Amino acid sequence: MSQTTAAFAESLGRVGATLHRTDAAGVRAALREAVAPPAVGSRVPIADVSLDDAGIETDPTVRQLREARTGVTPAAFAVAEYGSLAIRSRPDGDEPVSLYPERHVAVVAASDVLPDMDAAFERLAASFGRGEDSVVFATGPSATGDMGALVEGVHGPREVHVVVVEDR
Amino acid sequence: MSDSRRRRAEHIRRLMAAEGASIREQSSRLNRNRIDATADFAETEALRDRAREIKADAIADLPALIDRVTAAVEDGGGHVYLADDAADATDYVEAVAADRDAETVVKSKSMTTEEIGLGDALEAAGVDVWETDLGEFVLQVADEAPSHIVGPAMHKSRAEIARLFNAHFDPEEPLETADELTAFARDFLGERVREADLGITGANFVLAESGTVVLVTNEGNARKTAVTPDAHVAVAGVEKLLPSVEQLQPFVELIARSATGQPISRYLSLFSGATDSPTLDFDRPDDPLGSGDRDRAFHLVLVDNGRTAMREDDDLRETLYCIRCGACSNSCANFQAVGGHAFGGDTYSGGIATGWEAGVHGTDSAAEFNDLCTGCSRCVPACPVKIDVPWINTAIRDRLNRGADPGAFDFLVDGLAPDEEPAGLDPQKRLFGNLGTLATIGSATAPVSNWLADSTPVRLALDRLFGIDPRRDLPEFRRETLVDWAADRHAGAGPEPDQEVVVYPDVYTNHVHVERGKAAVRALEALGVGVVVPALPESGRAPLSQGMVGTARGQAAALADALAPHLDAGRDVVVLEPSDLAMVRREYERLVPDGTADRLSGATYDFAEYVYGLLANGADTGPLPSAAAGHTGSAGDAGVVYHGHCQGRTLGIDAYVEAVLDELGYDVIASDVECCGMAGSFGYKAEYYDLSVDVGEQLADWIRDHPDRTVVAGGASCHEQLDALLDRPVSYPAELIAPVPDGRPGDA
């Protein structure tokens, strides 16, 4: 495991997210492990990775979004130091799909796991330059302390899984 | 005490009883988390400097940033409205709502929308408004105001929220646990979000170049609010503008650490205008995402509401750097005891609230709570953008003093008080601001002055005329001042010292706590340093703490003049009272010319800091008593509980105290209580006595947990508070470090 992946694993552990490491061929199996059906998803733009025939509805209706237990999306990149996932606001629906279901499964290429915020902001500045300028850094499940104790699973997901696809 | 003081005291007592426990538990927990998170993060200090610089530049460049963000948002098809004031802003949002026939609006948490009263304005226009942040939702149901910038319902316990929800919603099964309450609120608000026609958010930052609204949340409500309805209105003060995404990074790494101690919030959302996310029409559930009738719409409402004037105001400008993290509230001992319903104005709470309220609602809005900032300065190292929150409070206090009506008691003090303050100044403030004059008279007439001061008629008069609480013991003035003692003292017969220092006879050390001064002189002499104790002017601390800036400036100039010949002669200045050291090191840059402040600050040391320097430069600890040998009053006990003075802690002098005591063999446990609650005059004031004692009890309780250790505290105020609350003696660091009097004439 690279130093960055190790740091990412540690950060995900700290924020209560579950890490699945695989290569492209193993993504199907990793998703079976990570996904609780019914699931909706948005297309994952990683070579040789597809959500088709994985029991994930990639062109969901509003009802399916509401009733899904899992939402699967790509993460444009991740930040190892913080355990953060960059979720873009794409027409495919990454934002609502990662937000509405109680479990979010993010798929990210190992080469897109960046070590720290310096690297993340370099990437961010480049994508802003291309006009890709709406993105959410999601770090662990949604949470609140407003009801007198820390509770996870508020307006956003209660569980977060991250599938890191190692480069061949 | 006067009726107005009595009412204020009563108000504070009521809030402490009703809300204090919940506020203390949560704000002190967040404070500990912040301290841990920033200490663990090596870049903290560099990022604070960078963040402040970015904010300062952005505020300086504000008109250009407003133009840039307008162009960027309009390029993306969105709308920007620059609102002059609250009514202008709410009118615009009402028009947007009406234009979209909005029946239901969902909001995420935003102090700026609280400031302009947006929720009430929309409700009055017939729109249903729902707060989706769970804390704000609790307040909406309870019809109460926020008590904290970040945790608006911090004053409510879980049990209170459960009672509130059960009474208001009458659920089939009564709600009890935090999980149940959260699930109920999520489901209830989920429906509101799905049916909403308009989503309103605030903005933690706005990036001009790309027209991006940046939102920091943990619950995910801002995401849902922004992305679920077709239309998103973001309301932000103009001060939230940053040039571009490149300037955002330091704030991302600081804001959550400062607010809650998290490395980063659960969600950091960057939305640039109407996003590419598909629209969601929950009325047509079987259509795919994005098939709604309307495209996304985006409005950015930039609120001025006094901010342009703040930008021109030298004392208020840096309020605009505030990123609303609440660290100044959490690090404040008074806030931890009373919360924002006492320590806050119409909208904002905590130390920075004085700047915000004075700026957006007017100086009077800060009047009710401004006194609660004691200037302890513990918020200064907490602030991620290094705002001098105590100075803002002092400057506004000065304005309030100057705006006061001439009062009935001015004849009592006009002839007596050599200050430069206006008629009408609260006689209580004038009395404490002229502490040095009082002390001089007190010493000159001691012990009669002390007997008189203890007499019932005098205490009643002090209470009635000046609001001095009769439950407080007054300082006991010593007939022989430190300056008198030093002048009469026969110096040791040792070799001529090659180094000479001035020990500064501050008011307390000179007139009241004289032993501390004597100990310091003995210790320095034992380490081979020659000591002079000249009569010197006051530092200006006493008037500054009362907002009497003009008087403080005069005293600062006089002290700088009086010390100049000593500095010319190569003497350093050793200060015993941390509040006076903080004057020189922190406040003088605002009170005396730059060169003077720098020179003085560079030559002035805390006593323990100076001793530490001597030891580090090869001085031998031999002449100083080791812990094993014991010191006056401690009977050889090497265990110490140490409470550093708040302002001294901000200057970083605790490390020297602990290092020197450690060197002498003491085992030191240091308190993490931010302030003892006495804070100079604060604990004497009748309207604040109960609050002061409540704060002090936090420290006293901690000390009581260490019954076998010697109690050491750094400041005169800390001593007065602990003397009143503990039945154990309290020592100064100098008293442990100094050799015991050797019986030479004049040594004791």
Side-chain angles (χ1 to χ4, degrees), chain B residues 5 42 48 82 92 109 177 200 218 304 318 347 354 425 428 462-463 471 516 558 561 660 669 702-703:
Chain B
R5 290 193 214 285
R48 289 176 74 215
L82 181 61
Y92 180 81
K109 182 174 138 27
T177 66
I200 299 177
N218 282 320
D304 187 321
E318 65 175 343
T347 307
T354 287
L425 175 66
Q428 183 190 60
L462 286 175
D463 183 22
R471 288 166 289 186
R516 142 165 89 165
D561 281 351
V660 171
I669 303 177
W702 175 80
I703 292 173

Side-chain angles (χ1 to χ4, degrees), chain A residues 60-63 66 82 89 91 95 98 100 118 133-135 137 139 141 143-144 146 151-156, chain B residues 132 135 179 186 194 218-219 221 223-224 228 246 249 253 257 266-268 270 272 276-277 285-287 289:
Chain A
T61 63
V62 174
R63 186 193 304 279
R66 236 194 104 173
Y82 288 87
S89 298
E95 173 64 0
S98 68
Y100 268 84
D118 287 348
D133 52 10
S134 290
V135 61
F137 284 66
T139 309
T144 188
D146 285 346
V151 177
E152 296 195 326
V154 196
H155 296 286
Chain B
T132 59
D179 280 310
R186 174 191 60 214
R194 288 191 295 274
N218 282 320
E219 296 181 358
N221 60 311
R223 293 175 74 185
K224 267 192 173 157
T228 307
E246 269 116 46
Q249 187 187 340
E253 299 200 78
R257 286 186 167 94
R266 297 299 170 108
Y267 301 117
L268 175 84
L270 288 76
S272 301
D276 291 339
S277 288
D286 295 314
D287 288 357
L289 305 189

Side-chain angles (χ1 to χ4, degrees), chain A residues 23 62 108 115 123 129-130 151:
Chain A
D23 55 16
V62 174
V108 62
R123 178 74 71 96
R130 291 192 304 271
V151 177

